[in-house]
Amino acid sequence: MAIKLPHAISANDVRQSVYTLPLLRARDADPHLLDGDAETILARVRDSGVVDDTLAYCRDLAAQAVNALPAAKDVDLLADLPGSYIAKAADMISAPVRAA
């Protein structure tokens, strides 16, 4: 079974009204964000810096979760998971956009 990692936002998400956290945050900052086609909206979100802010927010939540873990055997393996997952998502987000 393949695991689909999250992405920040895609034009297809916008077309289908799938609003990810970065899009919602960008919309809160710019009420007119959703005026335009999907590619224009996507460019506005990416240019706004909200994706980096959202990744920082997720890193903070992950750190809080790790800090709440009880001391136990092999807990270090579990503690590494959130950071690794977020790092992988950040790598995917920063990868060049491929044409559909």
Side-chain angles (χ1 to χ4, degrees), residues 65-80:
V66 167
N67 290 334
L69 290 172
K73 182 181 177 189
D74 297 328
V75 76
D76 291 341
L77 294 172
L78 183 60
D80 290 341

Side-chain angles (χ1 to χ4, degrees), residues 17-74:
S17 298
V18 175
Y19 295 164
T20 60
L21 186 56
L23 179 62
L24 293 172
R25 288 176 150 212
R27 187 197 60 191
D28 286 346
D30 178 4
H32 300 289
L33 176 78
L34 300 178
D35 297 343
D37 63 20
E39 286 75 18
T40 300
I41 294 168
L42 180 61
R44 288 180 190 160
V45 171
R46 289 191 172 151
D47 292 344
S48 74
V50 75
V51 173
D52 291 333
D53 293 344
T54 301
L55 285 168
Y57 172 73
C58 290
R59 286 183 186 103
D60 184 54
L61 287 179
Q64 290 177 42
V66 167
N67 290 334
L69 290 172
K73 182 181 177 189
D74 297 328

